[in-house]
């Protein structure tokens, strides 16, 4: 350590920690959530994934940070869960591979905006954090899942609630 330079306070992560907790952890958690669906039916995975997302939102210092965390979660979730869209476009639709990959990525990015909106809403409504932010986070995720299934005729695949149906509590 260089003389005269104090380490960051324990409660606040440095830049690398902020990237890990704010982006990489939610991205991995989103991909983990897919294991709650067929053929795995590991119902605990989406529960743990949402807990990790709420942890990232709890540590967010602004609505923008929470929105980015939510977007990263949604991107991991949908890129891992709707890869069949690429197959539909490329194999069955005869779309060129690069264009099918881009279209799939943009589709997943659109769907990830719902988790971004949930994170933004959660932190905007409860700037102080704590239990209120956690409950608002859960409510925002449920509301955005509903909106995603309804808006523009909806996208009913990968609803978190259905991952709990086969063997969940």
């Amino acid at each position: 350590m260089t003389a005269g330079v104090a380490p960051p306070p324990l409660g606040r992560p440095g830049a690398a920690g902020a990237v890990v907790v704010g982006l990489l952890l939610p991205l991995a958690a989103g991909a983990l959530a897919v294991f709650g669906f067929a053929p795995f039916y590991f119902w605990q995975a989406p529960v743990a994934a949402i807990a990790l997302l709420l942890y990232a939102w709890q540590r967010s210092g602004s609505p923008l940070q929470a929105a980015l965390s939510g977007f990263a979660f949604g991107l991991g979730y949908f890129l891992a869960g709707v890869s069949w869209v690429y197959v539909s476009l490329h194999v069955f639709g005869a779309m060129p591979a690069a264009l099918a990959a881009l279209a799939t990525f943009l589709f997943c990015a659109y769907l990830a905006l719902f988790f971004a909106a949930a994170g933004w809403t959660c932190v905007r409504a409860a700037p102080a954090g704590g239990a209120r932010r956690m409950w608002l986070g859960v409510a925002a995720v449920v509301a955005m899942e509903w909106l995603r299934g309804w808006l523009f005729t909806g996208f009913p695949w990968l609803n978190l609630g259905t991952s709990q149906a086969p063997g969940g509590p």
Side-chain angles (χ1 to χ4, degrees), residues 51-161:
L52 290 171
L53 177 62
L54 292 173
Y55 172 74
W57 286 349
Q58 190 70 7
R59 295 182 56 113
S60 292
S62 70
L64 177 60
Q65 276 184 317
L68 290 173
S69 294
F71 185 78
F73 179 88
L75 209 54
Y77 184 53
F78 292 111
L79 284 174
V82 298
S83 58
W84 56 267
V85 171
Y86 171 81
V87 174
S88 297
L89 294 173
H90 177 60
V91 175
F92 299 107
M95 185 180 279
L99 192 57
L102 177 64
T104 302
F105 179 81
L106 292 174
F107 178 62
C108 291
Y110 159 72
L111 293 173
L113 289 174
F114 289 96
F115 282 103
W120 186 89
T121 303
C122 165
V123 175
R124 176 81 174 151
R132 183 168 186 239
R133 184 180 286 184
M134 298 296 272
W135 286 110
L136 283 171
V138 170
V141 166
V142 170
M144 290 302 157
E145 283 283 277
W146 173 81
L147 188 62
R148 180 174 60 88
W150 179 80
L151 190 65
F152 304 127
T153 72
F155 185 72
W157 288 270
L158 288 182
N159 283 329
L160 286 167

Side-chain angles (χ1 to χ4, degrees), residues 11-68:
R12 306 189 76 166
V19 168
V20 169
V21 172
L23 295 176
L24 296 180
L25 181 67
L27 183 74
L32 169 76
V34 174
F35 287 101
F37 298 93
F40 306 105
Y41 296 111
F42 185 59
W43 64 267
Q44 296 92 339
V47 174
I50 291 296
L52 290 171
L53 177 62
L54 292 173
Y55 172 74
W57 286 349
Q58 190 70 7
R59 295 182 56 113
S60 292
S62 70
L64 177 60
Q65 276 184 317
L68 290 173

